[in-house]
Amino acid sequence: MSDSEEDDDDDDGESGTSGGQGGSSFTSIFNSLIAGFLRVWSFLRGAADMLNVPSPSFPAARSQQRVAASGQSGRNKVALKPGHSLMDWIRFSKSATDLTGLRGRLIEVTQEELQRHNTRNDCWTCIRGMVYNVTPYMDYHPGGEEELMKAAGIDGTDLFDQVHRWVNYESMLKECLVGRMATAVIKAAVPSSPQSSLAPPMSMAAPTEKDSRPRYDWFQTDATVNLVVYAKRKIPSSGCTTVDLEGGALRLEVVLGNMSYMIHLRLADDVEGNVAVHNVPLVGKIQVSIRKQAKGKWSSLGLPLELHNTFLRKKDRALHYRDCVLVSKTEVNHNTHVFRLQLPRGTVMHVPVGKHVYLKALAQGTEVVRPYTPVDQSLVGAPQDPDLYLMIKVYPDGVFTSHLSSLHVGDCLPVSGPEGTFSLRPLRDVTDLYLFAAGTGFTPMARLIQLALQDMDAIRKTKLLFLNRREEDILWRRQLDELAAHSDRFQVDYVLSDPCEGWTGRTGRVDESMLQDFLTRPHGSKCYVCVCGPAAFTELTMGLLKQQGFSEEELHAFQG
């Protein structure tokens, strides 16, 4: 994922949800903001009027940069009324208005009491044992009234978690808190249809085959202690491991498909702060080496901490943040910069292709979280190093990106580990790869292009259709043109919705004829298509692709 927050179609305004990766009206900045942060319970960013607008945003201003399952193009969106942006909600919730109807009292809510509050004008819901009166929030919710009403009078925890478990609802809805549940509550029924906008229920179950669980071992020398994880499967050559060493506590997470294996230990003795990680992809071996502060033998590796040696669904693993330092900000174009973030000394993070990280910050007392997809260092002319490079479109009035823009070199920013469900597995026997990107929706495509050209010889052709509003909005045009000039396996076509007089390339917005002209299916080929941009762009493009005969197995949409 990448640019998150307020990426919409420049002048058409931001709306919707998050993402660099968009749009109703009110102000162009705050609408995109809305959709990104407030997609609780199926937050889907609202911008019916942007359906055909390619935008320099990534992942769509309403996208949290998660890769939806094939064919799932997004949730229902509504156009918010003027005066109902995220910032409007923050101001309203802090206006001392009684949002619970209880005059400041907190009560214990029974199941029967919760069930009685199940109408549009009297709507309570429960999240993780706490009950909220969400009636005042109805008109501020980018997913619309219908989405909130799915959790009316019942436990909405599953609905909430399956959309965006990372959203800080406690901060957003703290003035709506009614009280705590007295007893267990009815769980919301989650549709099982593959077309549902909600993911399957969470499961803590490990894989069915016992021997498929990863395991770990350790060995030592006088100077080092070494932990070895055996994944029992191949792992990506780019790595899939995040290690955090802080205050003598070692936290190691290995992401294997949609599963997460974790080692969490209080080490037996003092160690140096640096960590070295070595991968053997073909046999699925990961070795973590740490230098001891004092030479000698340890009798044990250490004591287990919370969730040590667990193998869970990745979505069930809580987000873990570490403070990264801003090293530099480099201009890409008139409103987009590459932010270089340095990981803490004891952290090693491998962000696989197609994955994103979350950044968070406090805005007017409310925690705001946004997803961004790292770009490859080689694309920004930097040597290979462990730092994170994030390409972010900055909106002067955007709540989150204005905060990022105000940061100075040396300031800290909390960054999560890798997230997202994108898998390279479907690309193993693909011969023709098609990429559709709008604005900063290009971000996840950047590393995908590099991978296809460098490591996937079976892919004979990679074609990028890159849609923007104006010529100056095109990101990394020089690099893309040079790549196309030097590789007969790569082709890029640019499309502008608001071209200048001298523009000779494609114009307009994505439609059926544009797709027919761009897509070809050579005899004997196997095609795959990835789409990323504002939510409305992604939804429209995915629909058009299906009309062209592409199956769900041949499609992937990067989105929230």
Side-chain angles (χ1 to χ4, degrees):
M1 279 210 103
S2 124
D3 239 20
S4 92
E5 171 170 52
E6 304 124 50
D7 258 19
D8 253 11
D9 191 21
D10 271 348
D11 296 339
D12 286 352
E14 313 176 31
S15 105
T17 20
S18 74
Q21 301 206 3
S24 64
S25 45
F26 196 37
T27 63
S28 36
I29 305 300
F30 289 36
N31 275 351
S32 156
L33 231 200
I34 293 174
F37 181 56
L38 288 178
R39 283 189 331 187
V40 181
W41 302 294
S42 230
F43 278 28
L44 211 233
R45 338 60 114 170
D49 56 329
M50 275 203 51
L51 257 190
N52 217 2
V53 179
S55 147
S57 48
F58 173 84
R62 271 138 281 192
S63 166
Q64 290 308 338
Q65 272 191 303
R66 292 183 181 268
V67 183
S70 300
Q72 295 183 8
S73 59
R75 295 170 288 281
N76 294 328
K77 305 173 291 295
V78 299
L80 295 172
K81 301 173 184 177
H84 289 78
S85 69
L86 170 60
M87 292 310 302
D88 291 315
W89 169 253
I90 293 175
R91 284 191 288 266
F92 178 52
S93 65
K94 295 180 182 297
S95 65
T97 303
D98 178 13
L99 301 184
T100 65
L102 300 177
R103 298 182 180 180
R105 293 182 300 119
L106 292 179
I107 65 174
E108 192 172 58
V109 183
T110 65
Q111 178 174 312
E112 292 73 23
E113 178 68 16
L114 177 62
Q115 289 177 307
R116 281 196 286 269
H117 300 272
N118 63 358
T119 66
R120 166 63 177 83
N121 297 318
D122 182 18
C123 183
W124 291 9
T125 192
C126 174
I127 306 178
R128 296 189 178 91
M130 305 304 289
V131 178
Y132 298 87
N133 180 359
V134 295
T135 312
Y137 181 59
M138 285 284 180
D139 292 335
Y140 294 86
H141 182 246
E145 170 187 328
E146 181 180 352
E147 294 297 329
L148 280 184
M149 289 302 295
K150 290 179 180 178
I154 56 177
D155 186 347
T157 303
D158 286 346
L159 295 172
F160 175 83
D161 284 345
Q162 293 164 15
V163 177
H164 285 307
R165 63 186 175 89
W166 48 268
V167 171
N168 190 341
Y169 64 91
E170 297 103 324
S171 177
M172 281 181 44
L173 298 176
K174 61 184 176 183
E175 302 301 330
C176 299
L177 180 63
V178 170
R180 184 183 299 275
M181 281 302 302
T183 58
V185 298
I186 300 174
K187 293 289 184 179
V190 179
S192 59
S193 165
Q195 296 301 320
S196 167
S197 62
L198 300 176
M202 295 199 308
S203 169
M204 302 292 285
T208 53
E209 300 179 21
K210 278 190 174 181
D211 61 1
S212 70
R213 285 181 56 93
R215 67 177 183 87
Y216 79 98
D217 202 349
W218 72 286
F219 66 94
Q220 61 180 315
T221 67
D222 280 345
T224 66
V225 59
N226 305 274
L227 186 150
V228 183
V229 173
Y230 301 94
K232 299 184 179 179
R233 68 210 74 192
K234 293 180 181 179
I235 59 176
S237 58
S238 58
C240 56
T241 305
T242 300
V243 180
D244 292 285
L245 176 62
E246 183 178 10
L250 177 69
R251 182 185 187 276
L252 181 153
E253 182 180 8
V254 181
V255 178
L256 303 168
N258 64 352
M259 301 297 292
S260 164
Y261 179 64
M262 180 179 290
I263 300 298
H264 197 192
L265 293 163
R266 172 71 60 184
L267 296 176
D269 210 337
D270 294 334
V271 294
E272 303 281 342
N274 292 326
V275 176
V277 178
H278 177 67
N279 296 316
V280 185
L282 292 181
V283 297
K285 177 182 174 182
I286 301 149
Q287 180 172 317
V288 177
S289 301
I290 308 170
R291 295 194 64 82
K292 300 174 180 176
Q293 278 196 2
K295 292 185 177 181
K297 295 296 183 181
W298 291 7
S299 59
S300 69
L301 182 58
L303 298 175
L305 296 175
E306 183 182 13
L307 296 176
H308 170 64
N309 198 22
T310 55
F311 192 38
L312 308 177
R313 304 288 179 186
K314 174 60 179 171
K315 65 180 181 178
D316 297 335
R317 186 80 73 188
L319 293 178
H320 180 77
Y321 288 87
R322 70 278 302 148
D323 285 335
C324 296
V325 176
L326 179 63
V327 175
S328 64
K329 292 187 288 188
T330 305
E331 184 177 289
V332 178
N333 66 8
H334 64 101
N335 62 4
T336 304
H337 293 73
V338 170
F339 290 71
R340 179 182 177 185
L341 299 175
Q342 184 180 66
L343 297 166
R345 183 185 178 196
T347 295
V348 175
M349 184 188 298
H350 299 149
V351 184
V353 173
K355 306 291 186 180
H356 59 275
V357 297
Y358 290 109
L359 310 185
K360 69 177 178 179
L362 280 177
Q364 300 192 13
T366 297
E367 186 179 273
V368 183
V369 181
R370 294 290 181 266
Y372 295 92
T373 299
V375 294
D376 195 275
Q377 295 95 315
S378 63
L379 296 176
V380 295
Q384 292 297 314
D385 60 41
D387 294 348
L388 291 176
Y389 292 79
L390 305 175
M391 186 168 65
I392 299 173
K393 181 178 179 180
V394 175
Y395 291 86
D397 298 323
V399 171
F400 197 81
T401 58
S402 61
H403 171 76
L404 292 181
S405 185
S406 70
L407 293 178
H408 300 288
V409 170
D411 288 344
C412 289
L413 194 65
V415 179
S416 80
E419 291 284 316
T421 59
F422 180 73
S423 172
L424 291 173
R425 186 182 302 273
L427 296 180
R428 288 179 177 174
D429 55 352
V430 165
T431 60
D432 293 80
L433 177 62
Y434 296 100
L435 310 175
F436 291 83
T440 44
F442 164 71
T443 310
M445 308 305 186
R447 294 183 68 196
L448 196 50
I449 292 169
Q450 293 287 104
L451 184 76
L453 297 181
Q454 295 177 4
D455 300 331
M456 294 186 165
D457 295 336
I459 298 180
R460 300 189 296 244
K461 194 75 172 182
T462 298
K463 295 179 66 175
L464 169 66
L465 189 67
F466 196 1
L467 299 96
N468 286 276
R469 188 178 184 83
R470 294 176 293 269
E471 193 167 2
E472 59 266 30
D473 296 325
I474 300 175
L475 301 171
W476 284 339
R477 184 178 181 183
R478 178 181 58 81
Q479 292 91 328
L480 290 171
D481 288 343
E482 288 179 356
L483 188 61
H486 290 90
S487 174
D488 57 5
R489 296 173 58 211
F490 176 68
Q491 175 184 326
V492 58
D493 286 359
Y494 306 105
V495 183
L496 299 183
S497 61
D498 185 18
C500 62
E501 288 187 10
W503 177 255
T504 58
R506 296 178 186 261
T507 61
R509 294 169 178 173
V510 64
D511 57 21
E512 183 177 4
S513 62
M514 187 179 295
L515 264 63
Q516 288 176 338
D517 187 40
F518 181 73
L519 296 167
T520 58
R521 288 202 177 204
H523 179 70
S525 66
K526 181 172 181 180
C527 302
Y528 199 76
V529 186
C530 294
V531 181
C532 189
F537 164 82
T538 299
E539 183 174 349
L540 176 63
T541 305
M542 291 289 284
L544 291 171
L545 288 165
K546 291 176 184 178
Q547 291 177 20
Q548 296 294 315
F550 284 89
S551 67
E552 293 190 357
E553 291 72 25
E554 297 174 304
L555 302 173
H556 257 297
F558 290 87
Q559 59 186 22

